[in-house]
Amino acid sequence: MLRLGGLWVLRMRSPAAGVPVKNLCLRELASGVSSPGSTSPRALNIFDRDLKRKQKNWAARQPEAMKFDYLKEEVGSRIADRVYDIARNFSLALDVGCGRGYIAQHLNKETVGKFFQVDIAENALKNVLEMEIPTVSILADEEFLPFRENTFDLVVSSLSLHWVNDLPRALEQIHYVLKPDGVFIGAMFGGDTLYELRCSLQLAETEREGGFSPHVSPFTAVNDLGHLLGRAGFNTLTVDTDEIQVNYPGMFELMEDLQEKKSRMLT
């Protein structure tokens, strides 16, 4: 069972002047991706960001990459639906951890004027899906967004913030680049995701080895998201939970699917 913690965030302040597109870049990045040393000292290095970039690049080169993208397609569609629920137009939008553009493909130019897509993997950006919105792809780390303050009317993120080592800092970065009346809509895996698999592995390993080690990446508890967003400076918060159940005919099919997703989203 995949349990998604959805974020619907509206940041409210007095309106500010827009930032010209030509002056979007604020901080220089030597290679488009922040170095390992740029991580905040308060963050635990749970994930090797350089290894995660290599995994995502490898996954994007596979001949049947789209075969295992059904979950990202579904979540991207749901986030786009949330955008349409807001009765306004967004002249400038940003997708943090865009992958192949799973959100932008469901949006239209009547709703979003221009779309910036950021990802840590260059091969993913090379394979972005075709869309009718004018799009700019930028190689950058989700933990260090190279944009000026108060730049975007809308920021979206689908199943990408799960792998950042410093989630509070990533949320602060999103808050920083949003305009005062901007909107942030995102989704990440909730704390009960793959609960059945984790329990089965723990019970089996405890029985055979006398203890267990984690085989699945940690997930953020949905109850903690509101607090983290508040610390980042967001207000008018809504946190929803959706469940997506995926059935498999047997254990081998499950392990094959998870093996492919190892470089994409779950483990």
Side-chain angles (χ1 to χ4, degrees), residues 72-85:
K72 288 188 175 182
E73 295 278 1
E74 174 63 25
V75 178
S77 174
R78 296 190 183 195
I79 292 178
D81 287 341
R82 292 296 185 90
V83 175
Y84 288 127
D85 287 339

Side-chain angles (χ1 to χ4, degrees), residues 150-162:
N150 301 334
T151 296
F152 296 99
D153 304 285
L154 170 69
V155 175
V156 294
S157 180
S158 177
L159 306 182
S160 173
L161 296 178
H162 169 69

Side-chain angles (χ1 to χ4, degrees), residues 40-59:
S40 172
R42 68 187 178 188
L44 295 175
N45 290 322
I46 301 174
F47 304 104
D48 185 329
R49 295 291 291 169
D50 185 59
L51 178 60
K52 177 55 61 180
R53 177 180 60 83
K54 293 177 180 178
Q55 289 175 337
K56 293 185 70 175
N57 277 323
W58 172 86

